[in-house]
Amino acid sequence: MNDDKKYWLDDAANVRKIIIGVVVICAGLLAADFFYDKHATFSIEGWYGFYGIYGFIVFCAIVLIGKELRKILMRDEDYYDE
Amino acid sequence: MSSFLFSPGLILIFGAALVPVLPLVLRRAYLLLLPVICFWYILGLNPGDVQTFEFMGYQLEPLRVDKLALVWGYVFSLAAFLGVLFAIHQDDRVQDVSALVYAGSGISAVFAGDLISLFVFWELTAISSVFLIWASRTEASYRAGVRYLIIQIGSGVILLAGILFWFADTGSLAFGDIGIETLAGKLIFIAFGIKCAFPLLHNWLQDSYPQATPTGTVILSAFTTKLAVYALARGYAGTEVLIYIGATMTAFPIFFAVIENNLRKVLAYSLNNQLGFMVVGIGIGTPLALDGTAAHAFCHILYKALLFMSMGAVLHRTGTTKASELGGLYKSMPFTATFCTIGAMSISAFPLFSGFVSKSMILTAAAGDGYWGVWAVLVFASAGVMEHSGIKIPYFAFFAHDSGKRPKEAPFNMLLAMGITAFLCIAIGVYPAPLYAILPYPVDFVPYTTAHVITQLQLLMFSVLAFIVLIKTGLYPEEKPSTNLDFDWLYRRLLPKFLRGSGQKIAVADQHIRSQLLLIVSRVMQTSERWSGFNGTLARSSTVGSMASYAVGLLAVFLVLYFIA
């Protein structure tokens, strides 16, 4: 079933472009924090770049905790034998 | 209103009766027509419309229209249409009838003004929907369906018990505010909680939905749990414990979604997590929060259906939704990949997508009422949604490492259903005014403020950045074929094992008692044989003479005793 057609994402250079794009957008969003009034409900919300930093940390934490959970929870695919 | 009114779900329920006898082409047109008629009929209903009748001395109200019920009525009939369209290529009367009756009973349940009507349609959703799971026609789906049915019917039985207590306490069958103060209130709360997949009561969802047919899961995802959300909003608005139950629901399924290999099961965990946001809104109970719950239910039904459709299309074409067997499908299924990505961006609440305009209402309500801990959990959960539904689903199915699979693009009707749903997800995100107009309370909420947009984009884009970092450093866990233990382990493994173990003990004890009894019986038989059997002392045949000598002997003894005395 394999085809030899080259797709846009098959080129590593294009994947790099996407990654650079994400980094640029993130930097832009951090910079944007200087230019508007946050009218934060909680003081922590008003911290510089709070949502970006919180998002990054939480995302990594979820994945890494999940990875550890596998050690406890993961069984064979046919564990329940159905 | 003077015209004849009835519960709108009956259009689908009774309409389903014709399905088995119609030839295929006619049947397809008919299946698509019924939800349209139902939707059109609901559009004509106005708050305040009722239908009541007396039944064995009880006042029943199968139709009670207000703004809360209407939101669910609209989106349920819309979901029924999209679900039917997505499945229209197949020729399976069982699934067709099942889907119509199920959707119809869901719709009728939200318009039920009394608890008995609610109970009837509550149970009907359970019984009709199980056929969508059994329609996979595998041993695993059969077993999962039985477990599903037991738990769903169980919820109905608890509901009925609660209703009886409630009627005994209050003398009323009206379905309004209930509250958890009384025993009746607690029982009904648990019944709703089972269907709403509260923590520890949740596992039927992840167990059964991935076992249903590619099209069946799309239908299933829309009704049962959102009916429960509706029922909680009707009966338990402002019940504080719901805030904490809901927050727990948003958080813990995330971890299971991260490590799960079956992408339809990932979506089931994700569904659970989305319900959590709605439950928090009900617990807060302010007009803004309840509007947020209603709006989120509306948006969620659409984008969750869209995600299940995209995975259904993948399953239909490749026969699997296991992440470890997929990847690179965008090359041959570009439209499905695009629609899936739209669903993923909607559930992740990107600005201009539907999830953004509804979820921010709940978050704002939580923050506004000073629940900062809950708010922090909800933001945490939002990043989690981005992980499992925003990135994981589209990434591992359509991108990631190339699996070499080059399946055909999904059938046209599937693409059409996905296209319409994707359009609605974007339309609501771009122009939320019509959605806000149908919410139960007047809405004074502006989703698109600079702060909302920037902070949400920060949260999401930094999550994407984190994903890239984890993938590039090799820290992201590999997708592996596996089963992950969840609460269902308790009743699928531990309980049967315990019962089987105790069954053996009972068998041993039983055998012991039986053998003792048999021994006693055989002793009794031996003894009686010795005395009364052939040649036994008591069974010896005696002559008349010997009988007379016994009698004489006896008389002699009597005489002797007489004289002595």
Side-chain angles (χ1 to χ4, degrees), chain B residues 19 26-35 84 88 96-97 100:
Chain B
V19 168
L26 252 173
R27 191 166 84 226
R28 285 180 171 154
Y30 180 71
L31 283 169
L32 288 170
L33 189 64
L34 281 179
V84 166
I88 208 77
D96 293 341
V97 172
L100 285 181

Side-chain angles (χ1 to χ4, degrees), chain B residues 33-50:
Chain B
L33 189 64
L34 281 179
V36 174
I37 295 173
C38 184
F39 185 70
W40 173 78
Y41 179 67
I42 293 172
L43 278 181
L45 293 173
N46 294 301
D49 288 349
V50 289

Side-chain angles (χ1 to χ4, degrees), chain A residues 80 82, chain B residues 147 207 265 488-494 496:
Chain A
Y80 286 114
E82 286 180 351
Chain B
R147 287 192 292 270
D207 182 20
K265 204 163 180 177
D488 59 344
W489 178 79
L490 215 71
Y491 55 81
R492 291 177 71 183
R493 193 37 89 84
L494 187 66

Side-chain angles (χ1 to χ4, degrees), chain A residues 1-12 15-16 18-42 44-45 47-82, chain B residues 139-140 143-144 147 211 254-256 258-261 322 325 330-332 366-368 370-372 375-377 379-380 383-384 386-387 391 399 402 404-407 449-451 454-459 461-470 472 474-486 488-489 492-493:
Chain A
M1 292 240 286
N2 239 321
D3 60 355
D4 297 328
K5 196 176 155 195
K6 269 284 185 186
Y7 291 84
W8 194 74
L9 281 174
D10 288 338
D11 188 349
V15 177
R16 267 181 69 87
I18 291 177
I19 295 174
I20 291 168
V22 170
V23 172
V24 169
I25 291 171
C26 286
L29 287 167
L30 276 186
D33 249 12
F34 288 117
F35 299 107
Y36 67 96
D37 173 30
K38 277 194 165 175
H39 50 82
T41 314
F42 307 116
I44 194 171
E45 255 190 296
W47 293 6
Y48 176 75
F50 165 74
Y51 278 89
I53 296 161
Y54 189 71
F56 190 91
I57 294 172
V58 160
F59 192 98
C60 292
I62 289 169
V63 171
L64 297 176
I65 292 171
K67 210 171 156 181
E68 293 308 306
L69 269 179
R70 270 193 171 172
K71 291 178 185 161
I72 309 168
L73 299 175
M74 199 161 89
R75 297 290 184 279
D76 276 348
E77 197 169 23
D78 47 7
Y79 175 77
Y80 286 114
D81 201 23
E82 286 180 351
Chain B
E139 174 73 16
R143 287 177 179 225
R147 287 192 292 270
Q211 294 291 349
I254 288 172
F255 298 103
F256 287 93
V258 170
I259 57 177
E260 178 57 48
N261 186 37
K322 286 174 189 159
E325 297 170 12
Y330 82 94
K331 294 175 178 176
S332 61
Y371 291 102
W372 71 269
W375 170 85
V377 172
V379 179
F380 162 88
M386 184 62 198
E387 201 290 321
I391 297 175
F399 305 100
D402 194 338
K405 289 189 167 78
R406 294 287 183 273
T449 63
T450 313
I454 299 278
T455 52
Q456 181 67 5
L457 279 176
Q458 277 186 2
L459 183 76
M461 290 314 293
F462 274 82
S463 297
V464 176
L465 189 66
F467 178 73
I468 293 172
V469 169
L470 289 170
K472 284 286 162 193
L475 283 170
Y476 196 91
E478 189 192 350
E479 295 304 315
K480 283 184 195 157
S482 56
T483 301
N484 292 304
L485 304 185
D486 193 355
D488 59 344
W489 178 79
R492 291 177 71 183
R493 193 37 89 84

Side-chain angles (χ1 to χ4, degrees), chain B residues 66 147 154 210 244 375 560:
Chain B
D66 64 5
R147 287 192 292 270
Y244 305 106
W375 170 85
V560 171

